[in-house]
Amino acid sequence: MSQEKINFNAGPAALPLQVLEQSAAAVLNYNNTGISILELPHRGAEFLAILEESKALVKELCNIGDDYEVLWLQGGGRLQFAMIPMNFLGKGDTAGYIDSGHWAAEAMEYAAYYGHVDVMGSSRATNYDHLPEWPTHIPDNLKYLHITTNNTIFGTQYQHIPRVNVPLVADMSSDIFGCERDYNQFDMFYAAAQKNLGTPGVALVVIRKSMLTHLLHSLPPMLSYKAQAKENSILNTANVSGIYVSLLMLRWIKHQGIKNIIAANERKARMLYDAIDNSSLFTTHVKNTADRSNMNVCFTAKDKATELAFLQLCAENNIVGLQGHRMTGGFRVSIYNAIEESAVIQLVELMKKFETNG
Ligand code: PMP
């Protein structure tokens, strides 16, 4: 995190200071090559080493084996919304989607361009203030079931994901490496990098290799997982600097230790939810405690004047980025892996001060 301000933005989000410093050094001179990471050739030995290390680290941190393919693709999260049905859903085929938030719904809308969508649960009617009931029956003929593990805008998160009888595909954009997961239960998972894993435009995509044999469509290579895997994610000029920042994040995560990150995330979230639950000015969007996200804490103030006054107080105290998404209003405090506990403590102290001083 940069030292000047506490940045609670949802993404692009705060990066650890160490990663910022290493990125800055690499912009001036990458690894003593005498050229900048911004100038580094995408087919040279240096970038190949970045790719290999990053792929190995993803496998190590997820505890997955060589039966998975790790790809670094462009187009952020949304291009995955399109590539998944393009690659796996033929005309006349059906995929299941759980409609747990705005991004889940958008992924579903993209799928409808290619095949049938079976909505296996939705909490849209109550502005996604809880996680939908997990489906009791999942038809065997679904090409896949798509879920969003953490709903960035509404602040809900699956802590436990049941095993399913069809391929399971998960958007982990806003909680990858931030909570307990058995990554082996997923046939594909992906994450836009700008929250827990680097900078915008880059997407980490992990696919079980056996899924690549089920691809149905003849697609232009850029949109085909098989072609991207065959070309080692450098089918075109790769986002060299973006992938390098993701590698720095992976190294940082490994150095912190996932268990420590998860424990810190739980402490940070508990601190913040306790402060909101004990306040007479603020209320959480998600009432069901089991559904609450440890990554995005969404809440509102009792009226607009209180909301604006608190945002103003935060700004005066160099705390930025906690304005809620336009779909919920209020506040959203994104406390991703890189956010230090001290930042949350400062916010909670400010909330208490605000409440006491009226
Ligand atoms: N999925 C989730 C869970 C997200 O939070 C977001 C963006 N906030 C996206 C997908 C879309 O990512 P992008 O903007 O990179 O397309």
Side-chain angles (χ1 to χ4, degrees), residues 251-268:
R251 286 182 186 157
W252 179 85
I253 292 165
K254 181 174 173 178
H255 182 75
Q256 303 293 310
I258 290 210
K259 280 207 164 9
N260 297 330
I261 289 179
I262 294 171
N265 287 346
E266 284 168 0
R267 286 194 298 272
K268 288 184 291 184

Side-chain angles (χ1 to χ4, degrees), residues 10-12 75-81 102-104 106-107 110 146 148-153 171-175 190-195 199-203 296 325 332 336:
R78 278 182 190 75
L79 190 59
Q80 293 314 304
F81 295 171
H102 171 78
W103 301 111
E106 198 162 315
Y110 278 47
H146 181 280
T148 308
T149 52
N150 182 78
N151 297 286
T152 323
I153 295 178
D171 177 355
M172 299 189 181
S173 292
S174 47
D175 69 355
Y190 63 101
Q194 66 268 24
K195 300 162 195 302
T199 49
V202 175
N296 308 96
H325 191 273
R332 169 176 51 178
Y336 300 128

